[in-house]
Amino acid sequence: MDIKILVATHKNYQMPEDKVYLPVFVGKELHPNVNNSFQGDNTGNNISNMNPYYNELTAIYWGWKNLNLDAMGLVHYRRYLSLNHQKSLSKVLSYQDVEKLLQNNDIILPEKRRYYIETIESHYRHSHENEPLDIMKNVIKEKYPEYEDAYNKVMKRTWAHMFNMFIMKREPLDEYCNWMFDVLKSVEKQVDISNYSTYEQRVYGFLSEPLLDVWLEKHPEYKTIEVDYVFMEHTNWLIKGGNFLKRKIVGHY
């Protein structure tokens, strides 16, 4: 199989040596003089200039539109899919691992991230501006009503497949990207983010995370499998937990 896992990055960073990985510098159109050793997301059909608002989705869009592959995935420069929890670039999913997993599956996902004390909707509302989420719900209701039940079900869960990380065969990739980018483009036409903070202007990347599970819920015909994911750097769980509780109490900040 012809498979590539894009590694979204916005800086110089050590990358896996396995041939399945393709480092992609996101937002290259806005930073043309930074790191010319990685593939930019600004060639061919692209939305590279939208990176401040779409995050790693500009890499997904670029790969989807410009690479002729049997399967494509996305990970982050510090966060990878793996068959174990070892923080080593030599231990992340290899081409052989992916090829074997895709023999009997259509989509590879990171293990679920569980929030336990709140739903996906409440987590989003405590973390981000609420208006775009409300607009997205209406877009789905009006433009894709067949997804409304799946959306409501996903937003009531306490777990999700996060980070826009996945590996998909070509057919589900095409279907998912066509739907997901159309939903986000419809939201974009209706929301004014000019007064949002720089962080909150990354809104379409944030909105896309629950959309993956909405799409999966609506398409049970595609067989999925979960694997571990590993964050390559140290996580300060005290600070992370404190921020989580702060958002829960006072909202996003």
Side-chain angles (χ1 to χ4, degrees), residues 24-120:
V24 177
F25 190 95
V26 293
K28 183 67 171 179
E29 188 70 15
L30 303 175
H31 306 282
N33 298 319
V34 179
N35 196 325
N36 291 315
S37 63
F38 295 157
Q39 170 66 51
D41 65 350
N42 63 335
T43 62
N45 190 341
N46 72 85
I47 55 170
S48 179
N49 66 321
M50 297 298 290
N51 179 255
Y53 320 113
Y54 276 75
N55 290 0
E56 65 275 358
L57 296 185
T58 62
I60 294 175
Y61 187 94
W62 174 83
W64 169 49
K65 289 293 188 180
N66 296 288
L67 299 180
N68 184 19
L69 300 167
D70 298 312
M72 190 192 86
L74 180 102
V75 295
H76 300 254
Y77 70 101
R78 295 182 299 177
R79 188 180 285 113
Y80 289 86
L81 299 174
S82 175
L83 295 179
N84 56 69
H85 286 288
Q86 296 185 49
K87 293 188 176 187
S88 169
L89 290 176
S90 66
K91 300 297 183 180
V92 298
L93 278 188
S94 66
Y95 174 85
Q96 288 76 18
D97 294 332
V98 176
E99 187 177 45
K100 185 175 181 179
L101 289 169
L102 290 179
Q103 286 178 1
N104 298 308
N105 300 281
D106 300 301
I107 302 170
I108 302 170
L109 300 166
E111 61 186 358
K112 299 177 184 70
R113 189 172 193 181
R114 300 183 184 277
Y115 293 95
Y116 298 105
I117 64 172
E118 62 179 352
T119 65
I120 299 307

Side-chain angles (χ1 to χ4, degrees), residues 155-207:
M155 298 306 283
K156 290 176 182 177
R157 289 175 179 164
T158 57
W159 57 265
H161 298 99
M162 302 298 285
F163 317 122
N164 285 313
M165 290 170 57
F166 59 78
I167 303 169
M168 294 189 187
K169 290 181 178 176
R170 189 77 218 187
E171 183 176 348
L173 177 71
D174 285 341
E175 293 181 14
Y176 171 62
C177 286
N178 271 308
W179 178 78
M180 181 264 291
F181 281 110
D182 188 62
V183 170
L184 295 179
K185 183 58 67 174
S186 298
V187 175
E188 186 184 336
K189 292 176 181 178
Q190 298 181 49
V191 66
D192 180 6
I193 64 172
S194 59
N195 292 321
Y196 288 5
S197 67
T198 300
Y199 178 74
E200 284 301 312
Q201 286 185 350
R202 297 160 59 184
V203 56
Y204 307 111
F206 300 144
L207 288 174

